[in-house]
Amino acid sequence: MEPLPANLRFDVALSRGRRYPEPEHPYRNPFQRDRDRIVHARAFRRLEDKTQVFPPDLSDHFRNRLTHTLEVAQIARTVANVLGLDQDLTEALALAHDIGHPPFAHAGEEELDRQMQRFGERFDHNLHALRIVESFEQRYARFPGLNLTFEVREGIVKHSRDFQPGEQPDLDEYLPGLRPPLEAQLIDLADEIAYNTADLDDACSAGFFRLEEAAAEIPGFRELADLVAREYPEVSERLRFHEILRRLIDRLVTGLIEGTRQAVLEAGVKTVEQVRHHPERLVRMTPETARLSADLKSFLRRRVYDSEPVRVERRRSMALIAALFAYYLEDPDRLPEPYARQARLMPPHRVICDYIAGMTDGFLRRTCRRLGL
Ligand code: MG
């Protein structure tokens, strides 16, 4: 396949650099170093014990947020490679894309946001990720945080949405009103491909639906199921499912590559600056692939995310977070140091939110059990 025009690749030599200047490394460029810094961060390791969708006590094979992140990185790198974009920047962004996620998946994010809204504030996992890499990770003597390059920080706050000037004053340095480079734009769709297909896999093995039901309700899935049934009429349902899933990922990734190439050609965009000033994002799936992806999403919503067992688990998770939040808010001195000290200098709800958001599922459960909540 043809790569995109060479000037659409974000050239690491043009990086706006780091907040605290550092000497160059003899053989790793700044985006490669950022990727490595993310992998070595504590917040990255904690992803191992954060739920993606299904709590781990149901099965040993489900994705958690760490294995999900690796799948996103793998897909994103492939797309960047084929399109001729910068793989190191792409990989750094993919590895960082979920490090701001609180415990208990979306239920955790929703509950923390609900708690913060009582104080006129919000919880957003992308902004939380920025705070992690800017200040919470303490690994360097000379500066707080990981001192990542501008483009990685920009990608962390912009990979899933754009914002306008004045919309978020604390993000004014990240070029409001402009699109991020293509490397950052593709993370969101690589994420979508990874979670749709992985959730389908995990949910099928957990017995949420049968292969025939997915084939009956998702036209694109049925097409592949027929193909596989003709090719391998004798194999088990489980193997057929994997043969379908593999083709599904391939079709979605190919659609993302093709859709982006078409959008870039139609827009006539030839440089990163033009990508930034283009009125809309240029990374997209072809219309047929976007439909397949939307069909997968709505099937998963009906059969999995909105199903009774997942809803029960979500309610339980939200109640635990609410109870813990209330426990610390009642007396912020109950927080461990250094959070208790911080809570005397800053609004306590902010410190409590940061503390809980950083917890793994396991740590949160153990803490609640210890406190009798
Ligand atoms: Mg994700």
Side-chain angles (χ1 to χ4, degrees), residues 40 54 108-109 111 125 130 139-141 150 215 250 304 320 325 372:
H40 287 283
F54 305 98
E109 184 168 28
E111 183 58 32
H125 77 264
L130 184 66
R139 316 188 67 84
Y140 293 87
F150 175 88
D250 195 56
V304 184
L320 272 186
F325 204 102

Side-chain angles (χ1 to χ4, degrees), residues 217-229:
E217 293 180 43
I218 312 165
F221 188 97
R222 181 171 49 236
E223 205 183 296
L224 296 174
D226 291 346
L227 214 88
V228 168

Side-chain angles (χ1 to χ4, degrees), residues 160-330:
S160 48
R161 65 181 200 93
D162 296 324
F163 47 89
Q164 298 308 314
E167 203 181 315
Q168 283 190 288
D170 42 339
L171 297 181
D172 272 353
E173 68 175 299
Y174 297 109
L175 311 174
L178 297 188
R179 251 45 62 208
L182 296 175
E183 285 84 351
Q185 292 189 26
L186 71 86
I187 300 301
D188 208 32
L189 286 168
D191 187 24
E192 186 174 313
I193 294 173
Y195 68 66
N196 277 335
T197 52
D199 291 352
L200 209 62
D201 187 17
D202 287 349
C204 187
S205 70
F208 278 82
F209 59 85
R210 299 285 306 270
L211 191 156
E212 284 68 30
E213 293 171 305
E217 293 180 43
I218 312 165
F221 188 97
R222 181 171 49 236
E223 205 183 296
L224 296 174
D226 291 346
L227 214 88
V228 168
R230 276 198 299 278
E231 203 171 337
Y232 302 107
E234 304 295 331
V235 303
S236 69
E237 177 170 338
R238 193 66 209 151
L239 274 180
R240 259 191 296 143
F241 183 83
H242 280 299
E243 290 290 339
I244 298 165
L245 198 68
R246 167 179 313 119
R247 288 166 176 78
L248 200 59
I249 298 173
D250 195 56
R251 191 166 278 198
L252 292 164
V253 171
T254 306
L256 174 56
I257 293 168
E258 278 312 317
T260 303
R261 195 200 314 278
Q262 282 166 21
V264 165
L265 287 178
E266 275 164 31
V269 157
K270 299 212 162 52
T271 65
V272 174
E273 267 320 288
Q274 289 171 346
V275 168
R276 285 196 175 284
H277 285 91
H278 197 71
E280 54 201 23
R281 292 186 172 223
L282 291 161
V283 171
R284 62 184 69 157
M285 294 178 181
T286 57
E288 314 81 73
T289 319
R291 201 166 317 120
L292 171 59
S293 190
D295 288 348
L296 288 173
K297 205 180 272 196
S298 74
F299 176 80
L300 284 165
R301 180 153 307 289
R302 283 196 309 280
R303 293 297 189 127
V304 184
Y305 310 144
D306 286 348
S307 71
E308 202 45 30
V310 172
R311 278 155 71 145
V312 166
E313 187 62 32
R314 192 182 303 147
R315 276 198 294 275
R316 224 180 270 151
S317 306
M318 291 172 88
L320 272 186
I321 289 184
L324 194 59
F325 204 102
Y327 172 82
Y328 288 125
L329 198 63
E330 196 180 299

